[in-house]
Amino acid sequence: MKYIVKGGRELGGTVRVQGAKNSVLPILAASILANDKCEILDCPHLSDVKTTTEILKELGCKVTYALNCVSVDPTDAFNMEIPERLMRKLRSSIVFLGAVTMRMGKARVSMPGGCLLGARPIDLHLKALKSLGIKVKEEAGFIETDASEAKCANVHLAFPSVGATENTILAAVKIKGESVITNAAREPEIIDLIAFLNAMGARITGGGTGTIHIEGVPSLRGISYRIIPDRIAATTYMCMAMATNGEIELENVRREHLTAITNELREEGARIEFFGDRAYLRAPRKIKSADMIKTMPYPGFPTDAQSVFMPHLIKGDSTSVIVENIFENRFRVADELNKMGADIVTEGRSAIIRGPRALTGARVIAPDLRGGAALVIAALSAQGESVVEDAGHIGRGYESFVENITALGGDIRINNTADY
Ligand code: UD1
């Protein structure tokens, strides 16, 4: 699938921000631990959510996905194995490992897939499960677990990995006694998972801090739960307004989740105001370059946001530097942006963006989800027409992306033919 984008317009208007992709996926995995049906509200329509619902169906859950509500009834779940073709489709499939192990007593999964951002190992996940007494066997790309001797424990994570923290919570939530996770991830999506589980009857404290206490409970009840807003989608639309010299109002945002982003954008000259759950951003006439953006675990600058910052930094008044500390191979979009006239040099974990440069339309290839969104932003800010190939990546994380951009006044259409 390709997007055809004609650039050069100032974008303006209002966008409602979708529910958070990175919350929905672990929460859907958690729903298999319930005794009865869960309803997840404000669930965005994304291919990654669709894949997750397919995993749930494979496990034997009854699942419906209508409008923005996914309902999961795990009462008759019978399967402890997730097929490789589904595991390979997305990285966060690995959070099913802890949940399925505790629901079925055993699990069998292959190594997960997802965007190609670097090695993306799962050693921390497996080590944490082993600390909880779960037997883990790795063989020929498959992982088998056995929870017959699972017990509460203190689990220390060598790095505050989001996925490993989620897996550990899901494994420990029904183990008798108190488990403690130290050096846990503090991302809002972890807090959302904990709020979901606590609403089901779990007893978890410390979400949003580095130490999470989990007092195991024997059962969890089905509930209705609304997902938090997607801070990365909000960031993407803010950066779209920056790159097109536009102004935007976002509905459904949490100000406190966006602090690292809005601090940075204000330093670059943006005017940003919040009114309750709405944010308003007006791009500056001249963008001030970013001396140094370093991606870090939350509350630091998110790795998911660095690609979508590049298009407006290309227009910055001098040189910007981005240092990627989470993934070792997350600058693949730079070569594509250079085809449009950017001057970005990457060296190891650093990207040096020399501005100001004017972009012109070109044929480019989306390397991954956030890189794809960055190319669309660049194309909207470029003179002339661009073709963004492999745009299917974008549908993994953004709901109604084309419709939202059109509503903001952008000229973008989808092309499914091979010959364009
Ligand atoms: C990461 C991001 C998360 C983002 C998601 C999707 C961080 C800390 N995490 O979560 O905010 O939403 O990508 O893009 O920014 N690691 C290991 N062994 C493991 C697990 C992880 O070495 O078992 C390393 C990874 O290689 C990486 C770092 O830890 O360098 C962060 O990984 P982690 O937080 O687990 O990644 P995700 O859960 O994918």
Side-chain angles (χ1 to χ4, degrees), residues 217-265:
V217 294
S219 71
L220 296 169
R221 59 183 172 271
I223 53 159
S224 221
Y225 187 83
R226 183 172 293 277
I227 297 293
I228 56 168
D230 193 312
R231 61 196 169 99
I232 306 301
T235 301
T236 303
Y237 291 112
M238 286 183 169
C239 290
M240 201 177 279
M242 288 292 281
T244 60
N245 192 27
E247 72 189 305
I248 197 164
E249 191 177 345
L250 298 174
E251 291 174 8
N252 194 36
V253 295
R254 295 262 182 99
R255 178 186 190 145
E256 66 276 19
H257 294 170
L258 291 166
T259 307
I261 298 295
T262 50
N263 283 352
E264 180 54 44
L265 288 172

Side-chain angles (χ1 to χ4, degrees), residues 21-22 91-92 117-126 159-166 185 187 189 231-232 296-298 301-304 325-328 330 349 370:
K21 161 178 124 84
N22 290 333
R91 161 84 180 170
S92 62
L117 311 177
R120 306 192 87 175
I122 56 162
D123 55 314
L124 300 174
H125 300 238
L126 303 186
F159 179 88
S161 151
V162 175
T165 303
E166 290 163 347
E187 267 70 358
E189 295 77 21
R231 61 196 169 99
I232 306 301
M296 303 287 269
Y298 191 85
F301 189 93
T303 172
D304 279 349
N325 288 310
I326 309 297
F327 295 112
E328 65 267 32
R330 209 173 188 179
R349 289 183 177 265
R370 306 300 170 189

Side-chain angles (χ1 to χ4, degrees), residues 88 313 377 393:
R88 297 262 178 227
L313 292 177
I377 296 175
H393 283 296

Side-chain angles (χ1 to χ4, degrees), residues 183-358:
N183 202 26
R186 295 187 283 161
E187 267 70 358
E189 295 77 21
I190 301 280
I191 302 177
D192 209 24
L193 174 65
I194 292 173
F196 174 69
L197 290 166
N198 282 346
M200 294 162 90
R203 294 177 62 194
I204 307 173
T205 55
T209 76
T211 306
I212 296 175
H213 293 258
I214 305 158
E215 182 69 44
V217 294
S219 71
L220 296 169
R221 59 183 172 271
I223 53 159
S224 221
Y225 187 83
R226 183 172 293 277
I227 297 293
I228 56 168
D230 193 312
R231 61 196 169 99
I232 306 301
T235 301
T236 303
Y237 291 112
M238 286 183 169
C239 290
M240 201 177 279
M242 288 292 281
T244 60
N245 192 27
E247 72 189 305
I248 197 164
E249 191 177 345
L250 298 174
E251 291 174 8
N252 194 36
V253 295
R254 295 262 182 99
R255 178 186 190 145
E256 66 276 19
H257 294 170
L258 291 166
T259 307
I261 298 295
T262 50
N263 283 352
E264 180 54 44
L265 288 172
R266 283 190 176 117
E267 277 185 30
E268 294 165 9
R271 204 182 110 209
I272 303 173
E273 281 162 45
F274 284 89
F275 308 94
D277 70 347
R278 300 165 87 91
Y280 167 85
L281 178 145
R282 166 81 233 173
R285 238 178 255 132
K286 200 166 158 190
I287 292 169
K288 212 176 147 306
S289 292
D291 294 340
M292 176 82 78
I293 292 176
K294 291 182 182 174
T295 67
M296 303 287 269
Y298 191 85
F301 189 93
T303 172
D304 279 349
Q306 53 98 337
S307 302
V308 294
F309 262 66
M310 285 187 178
H312 71 262
L313 292 177
I314 291 166
K315 299 186 158 184
D317 61 357
S318 78
T319 300
S320 298
V321 178
I322 298 178
V323 179
E324 170 56 56
N325 288 310
I326 309 297
F327 295 112
E328 65 267 32
N329 186 16
R330 209 173 188 179
F331 288 135
R332 292 191 307 148
V333 73
D335 288 342
E336 300 301 310
L337 291 168
N338 286 345
K339 289 183 194 165
M340 301 175 80
D343 179 355
I344 307 177
V345 178
T346 59
E347 217 181 273
R349 289 183 177 265
S350 303
I352 296 142
I353 305 167
R354 289 199 196 93
R357 294 286 187 278

Side-chain angles (χ1 to χ4, degrees), residues 172-187:
V173 65
K174 287 173 92 174
I175 297 177
K176 196 170 170 213
E178 189 187 58
S179 297
V180 181
I181 311 174
T182 47
N183 202 26
R186 295 187 283 161
E187 267 70 358

